[in-house]
Amino acid sequence: MSQVYDRVALIGLGLIASSMFWAIKRAGLAGEVTGYARSAETREIARKIGLCDRVCDSAQEAAKGADLVVLCVPVGAMGAVAADIVPVLKPGATVSDVGSVKRHVIEAVSPHIPDGVHFIPAHPLAGTEHSGPESGFAELFDNRWNLLVPVKGSDPDAVARLRALWEGMGANVDEMDADHHDLVLAVTSHAPHLIAYTMVGVADDLRRVTDSEVIKYSAAGFRDFTRIAASDPTMWRDVFLTNKDATLEILGRFTEELFALQRAIRTGDGEQLFDYFTRTRAIRRGIIDAGQDTDAPDFGRGKTTS
Ligand code: NAP
């Protein structure tokens, strides 16, 4: 794979930025990668582990002269970070982001983008429950989707270049409209996270009743909820504050279905339960067939409990 950009700047040095750095290095996609994080502690760790060719002490210093600047901070912080770096952006540069919500980021960042600079929002559909500069790894994006959400009038060459970078990092790339993105992600990621947070919260309340049985006998179903519910609180607070309408729409539908299943249990309607679970099992099959998860029992953890 050959170099796509001379200079890439990563603003925010957490899971996604550090994974991007290692993936860019793996394939030689950039001449130099600069990085900046707001806390001295994160910058110190980054320097120690060799994350970025040059760790800068300001976002402006990192972004100055870059051909691509990627905003890798929580969704609620994108606007302020964009406002900070615009004075140093070079003409023809591209600004992108990796935020989990797109309409809000477009509204927060677009007004700051000067003429002659391209703004191409993006969202890699890959992550883990870990965060911070040490959590990244080069393989995070391999065979995962990255959605590009070009704004109206985007320069096709700039979009093609960003696509080449993500493909070079191992991702499959698609383009999507911002509102559609936010609805799809509300179904596939945002609402499931809220449900996991809720389920773990319920179990935590119950723990006080059952002493530590919930943890001691924690089976695969619950453990998977706790993994999701361990995700970064700042990131997920911002997701729900900024993808409000789509998440509420999906949670409304979820509540209706939950009531229907609750009723089936109460009335002993086994047929309805069986049919419902048969339909959902087919969805799992589809995800495995699409190469987006492993068919190994218990996600390949080894021992299976359910
Ligand atoms: P992370 O590991 O928690 O890192 C966040 C980075 O942003 C840190 O360097 C942090 O700086 C910085 N930051 C936090 N609040 C800030 C603020 N108010 N102003 C400036 N900088 C701030 O996060 P991440 O998981 O990489 O997520 C980054 C972005 O990617 C988010 O927008 C998220 O929605 C998106 N995303 C995440 C996932 C996922 O699964 N994690 C997947 C796809 C997309 P300090 O270290 O100095 O605190």
Side-chain angles (χ1 to χ4, degrees):
M1 186 57 73
S2 56
Q3 195 170 305
V4 182
Y5 294 98
D6 280 346
R7 281 223 13 229
V8 173
L10 303 173
I11 310 296
L13 293 174
L15 169 72
I16 300 298
S18 56
S19 297
M20 287 183 73
F21 175 74
W22 300 120
I24 286 171
K25 285 290 143 181
R26 179 182 66 176
L29 301 168
E32 187 194 32
V33 180
T34 56
Y36 166 76
R38 65 177 172 169
S39 73
E41 189 191 346
T42 299
R43 297 197 297 271
E44 193 51 42
I45 295 171
R47 287 187 180 109
K48 211 164 75 193
I49 64 174
L51 171 61
C52 293
D53 299 315
R54 189 155 52 87
V55 177
C56 303
D57 287 323
S58 75
Q60 290 199 354
E61 191 190 335
K64 199 169 177 186
D67 302 286
L68 171 70
V69 181
V70 190
L71 312 180
C72 305
V73 297
V75 170
M78 296 282 182
V81 172
D84 181 22
I85 59 162
V86 285
V88 302
L89 293 177
K90 83 174 189 190
T94 293
V95 173
S96 186
D97 77 297
V98 293
S100 305
V101 177
K102 296 277 57 109
R103 174 59 60 202
H104 175 88
V105 171
I106 290 170
E107 283 170 4
V109 172
S110 290
H112 301 293
I113 302 294
D115 286 347
V117 170
H118 310 289
F119 174 44
I120 309 168
H123 179 202
L125 307 188
T128 74
E129 67 278 26
H130 300 299
S131 48
E134 292 172 295
S135 58
F137 51 99
E139 299 77 22
L140 180 66
F141 309 113
D142 285 350
N143 199 31
R144 310 314 299 268
W145 285 102
N146 184 293
L147 299 176
L148 298 185
V149 184
V151 292
K152 230 167 112 195
S154 291
D155 177 56
D157 291 342
V159 174
R161 215 162 155 203
L162 187 63
R163 171 186 279 267
L165 180 83
W166 279 102
E167 286 175 349
M169 287 192 283
N172 305 313
V173 179
D174 247 348
E175 288 183 28
M176 202 180 266
D177 154 77
D179 293 326
H180 190 60
H181 167 279
D182 289 355
L183 184 63
V184 169
L185 267 292
V187 178
T188 58
S189 171
H190 306 167
H193 269 80
L194 197 77
I195 292 160
Y197 280 124
T198 314
M199 193 58 228
V200 175
V202 168
D204 186 46
D205 290 343
L206 198 65
R207 190 162 64 95
R208 288 177 200 123
V209 181
T210 62
D211 214 350
S212 60
E213 280 180 338
V214 171
I215 289 173
K216 186 172 170 194
Y217 299 122
S218 172
F222 180 66
R223 269 190 298 154
D224 291 336
F225 276 124
T226 60
R227 186 187 62 73
I228 296 171
S231 300
D232 187 67
T234 305
M235 168 186 158
W236 285 96
R237 176 203 61 195
D238 284 8
V239 165
F240 293 116
L241 291 180
T242 58
N243 197 19
K244 192 171 165 179
D245 293 346
T247 314
L248 289 178
E249 162 70 20
I250 300 307
L251 287 173
R253 286 168 187 250
F254 173 81
T255 313
E256 283 172 25
E257 300 273 308
L258 190 66
F259 280 143
L261 291 180
Q262 208 174 322
R263 191 163 187 282
I265 294 169
R266 183 176 300 115
T267 59
D269 189 343
E271 199 179 321
Q272 188 185 349
L273 294 172
F274 186 86
D275 289 349
Y276 202 96
F277 302 157
T278 304
R279 188 154 63 88
T280 54
R281 186 177 227 190
I283 292 171
R284 171 79 190 151
R285 188 76 255 156
I287 289 171
I288 291 159
D289 290 348
Q292 295 298 305
D293 208 349
T294 167
D295 195 18
D298 196 16
F299 305 99
R301 281 190 187 111
K303 263 195 289 169
T304 309
T305 46
S306 62

